[in-house]
Amino acid sequence: MVTRDVYLPVAAQPSVETLVEQAQRGEQLGYERAWLPETWGRDAVTTLTSIAHGTDEIGIGTSIVPIYSRTPSLIGQTATTLQEVSDGRFRLGLGPSGPIVIEGWHGEDFGNPLRRTRETIDIAKQVMRGEEVEYDGEYYQLSGFRLRCDPPDPMPPIDAAGMGPKSVELAGRFADGWHALMLTREGLEERMADFDRGSDMGDRDRDDQRVTLSLTCCALDDPGEAERLVRQHIGFYIGGMGTFYRDALARQGYEDEAYEVSEQWASGNREAAMDALPDELIEEVAVAGTPEDAADQLDAFADVDGLDAINISFPRAADHDQILQTMEALAPA
């Protein structure tokens, strides 16, 4: 059975308390986990600590914490602490993010993200096992230290984000799960094969690994407004967040459309960029409409074999009331 998680808003919210209240509402509605992204707003760690203290049952997780903004050992320490403050409800989601954020915000070189992701996973697992960390990698050479507190029990699973074939294969080989995003149903099935191949390469038990799809959703009484918000969101990610989302959609049969959106956005023609998004593409990668129509659209994504959870995400321009309406409309039955 495909469960439902909630992906707390990526856009700025009025306060940390607002995010806590949204997580609390997710808990009341029966969502299994509340994920929090970390971009250039409030940091995920402090906010998730507040959410952990403000909730009782809902799982929490980072989706994603960038691997370039913290050392792998610190990521392991952070996961250990969040597992403690949440009484065992934490799941660690990590990934490289993209060069615009990593170089423009963190001032770090976005080099070899696949290798950096692998080394981060390896080291974080050593830290969380309570071992003396010994590692001789391409980017990290570590020795002589171990956690000076008890290791987390149970150890938080690690999910890796990825859109391309190699990054998804890496998630299957080294991580405990995969965060999928900006994928059509057919594209998700293709990448699922990459994840399964990686799982085989790593001699992993596929039944112990979890695949979560982050799906942009907007369920409103005004279907035109729901579609407008989703269209704006997708246009921003294709045009304003580098090449990753553009290239992911190009691999899924929308090359001309993705490049047109990217070019119009780069030229400052935001409305033209959004107009260049065909209705078919919106329907393939997102959910938008009335509460009834959106629920039907969501059910179609749940049919993909190998998918464990759908992460209800929200358009970046959605306001607090629109977020809550969507959360309520698409809550687990």
Side-chain angles (χ1 to χ4, degrees), residues 61-276:
T62 52
S63 177
I64 62 168
V65 61
I67 60 172
Y68 292 91
S69 60
R70 296 173 177 83
T71 67
S73 296
L74 179 57
I75 289 174
Q77 290 175 259
T78 300
T80 295
T81 309
L82 282 169
Q83 185 72 317
E84 179 180 351
V85 300
S86 67
D87 294 324
R89 292 182 281 143
F90 180 67
R91 195 171 181 104
L92 173 63
L94 52 77
S97 186
I100 287 181
V101 176
I102 299 307
E103 296 178 356
W105 180 246
H106 294 290
E108 296 290 331
D109 178 47
F110 190 80
N112 201 349
L114 291 177
R115 182 68 199 185
R116 291 281 291 258
T117 300
R118 173 180 173 174
E119 293 193 13
T120 298
I121 293 171
D122 287 344
I123 294 166
K125 285 186 174 182
Q126 283 193 36
V127 170
M128 291 190 292
R129 286 195 293 262
E131 302 172 356
E132 183 172 322
V133 177
E134 297 289 340
Y135 199 81
D136 184 16
E138 183 175 343
Y139 291 95
Y140 300 100
Q141 296 80 42
L142 309 174
S143 66
F145 289 89
R146 71 172 73 229
L147 274 176
R148 65 192 310 174
C149 59
D150 292 335
D153 183 21
M155 191 172 93
I158 299 179
D159 297 333
M163 290 184 288
K166 288 299 182 182
S167 63
V168 176
E169 181 184 282
L170 182 145
R173 186 176 179 185
F174 297 105
D176 304 305
W178 165 43
H179 275 292
L181 66 163
M182 200 69 79
L183 292 170
T184 66
R185 288 182 288 278
E186 183 177 344
L188 179 59
E189 290 169 351
E190 291 177 357
R191 296 288 78 78
M192 195 77 74
D194 298 321
F195 184 74
D196 291 342
R197 181 173 60 255
S199 183
D200 288 340
M201 292 170 62
D203 197 25
R204 308 296 302 277
D205 186 341
R206 180 64 178 80
D207 290 338
D208 291 338
Q209 294 175 301
R210 187 170 182 82
V211 175
T212 301
L213 172 66
S214 288
L215 184 64
T216 303
C217 300
C218 195
L220 304 176
D221 294 331
D222 181 350
E225 176 66 2
E227 190 272 341
R228 185 190 70 81
L229 288 167
V230 166
R231 182 177 294 274
Q232 181 188 62
H233 180 92
I234 295 172
F236 169 79
Y237 274 87
I238 296 173
M241 290 297 289
T243 62
F244 288 100
Y245 298 95
R246 182 200 69 189
D247 293 347
L249 289 171
R251 283 191 295 268
Q252 298 174 79
Y254 289 100
E255 182 173 2
D256 291 344
E257 295 88 344
Y259 273 80
E260 175 68 13
V261 171
S262 180
E263 290 168 7
Q264 292 288 358
W265 193 278
S267 299
N269 302 320
R270 304 297 167 81
E271 291 299 323
M274 288 186 283
D275 290 342

